[in-house]
Amino acid sequence: MRLFGSNNERLDFIMDSFYKLSPGQRNGAFALGIGVITAFIISAFFLYFTEVRILESELSESLSSLKDLKDVRLIDIDKEKQFSKLVETVLVKTRGVSFKPFFEKMTKEKSIAMKDLTEKESDLDSTNPLSDSLKEVRVELRFPQVSIPRLVNFITDVEKSEHYIRLKDIKITGQYGNKLYFDTTLSFRGYASKK
């Protein structure tokens, strides 16, 4: 081996040097050697246990992170189920709804004269998670002469219809010389299936 030299000449040199020492010096060299070996062994054990502790800590953190990830995934799955249920509910309640006949029926039931009704469909914003399944329908109605109580009842009944139709905008204009009736424009938002 190269460590001891060819024919162990380095090892022989160390041994010769050791035997040339006086007995006290030999004891000192021996104690020094034992001390160095002991310090090396203690350092090795200290390093080993330190690394083991670090690995255990990292393993504990990894297991904790894995548990957190599993918890988040379970929450995510639950939210996906809730979202799918919501989409299905909206699809069921909006399936077969024709907005123009619906609003015409509601105005007749409330005895409100309607002047205009326009219906416009548009895609939902692509960031909206409902955009894959639903499109937005906007309906604008114009009532040339309606009282506030009748208007409030009409809006309430439309929103209670369970077709997910909601008032988006309202514009009320007073009529000259008439304090009971108003020109009103209502804008409603609803949903329809893309399919």
Side-chain angles (χ1 to χ4, degrees), residues 1-150:
M1 285 179 46
R2 289 183 181 177
L3 178 65
F4 299 122
S6 59
N7 296 326
N8 294 330
E9 59 190 30
R10 288 186 188 142
L11 184 59
D12 289 338
F13 175 74
I14 292 171
M15 294 298 285
D16 283 341
S17 300
F18 178 75
Y19 286 119
K20 287 180 183 173
L21 296 174
S22 67
Q25 289 175 328
R26 278 189 212 161
N27 288 339
F30 187 70
L32 179 65
I34 296 272
V36 168
I37 291 171
T38 304
F40 177 76
I41 291 172
I42 289 172
S43 298
F45 273 106
F46 178 77
L47 186 62
Y48 170 77
F49 285 114
T50 302
E51 291 298 319
V52 166
R53 195 174 319 121
I54 290 170
L55 285 174
E56 285 176 347
S57 174
E58 288 176 358
L59 179 63
S60 176
E61 287 177 15
S62 298
L63 290 174
S64 176
S65 297
L66 183 61
K67 183 188 174 302
D68 291 345
L69 183 63
K70 285 180 181 178
D71 291 344
V72 168
R73 181 63 187 137
L74 289 174
I75 291 169
D76 188 44
I77 289 169
D78 186 49
K79 295 297 179 191
E80 284 176 9
K81 285 179 185 175
Q82 288 178 8
F83 178 73
S84 297
K85 188 176 178 182
L86 171 71
V87 170
E88 186 59 33
T89 303
V90 172
L91 287 172
V92 166
K93 297 219 177 192
T94 58
R95 189 174 292 135
V97 175
S98 298
F99 289 92
K100 189 171 182 177
F102 170 77
F103 280 104
E104 287 172 347
K105 178 184 169 203
M106 293 294 288
T107 54
K108 282 181 186 173
E109 285 178 4
K110 296 295 173 189
S111 302
I112 299 174
M114 179 174 56
K115 186 171 183 181
D116 290 322
L117 187 153
T118 57
E119 183 180 324
K120 182 182 176 186
E121 292 182 354
S122 61
D123 289 332
L124 293 169
D125 189 305
S126 60
T127 59
N128 188 328
L130 296 171
S131 63
D132 293 336
S133 308
L134 301 169
K135 58 188 170 185
E136 187 178 70
V137 180
R138 291 194 186 189
V139 179
E140 191 170 286
L141 305 149
R142 187 162 169 255
F143 302 134
Q145 195 172 2
V146 66
S147 67
I148 294 297
R150 202 171 268 183

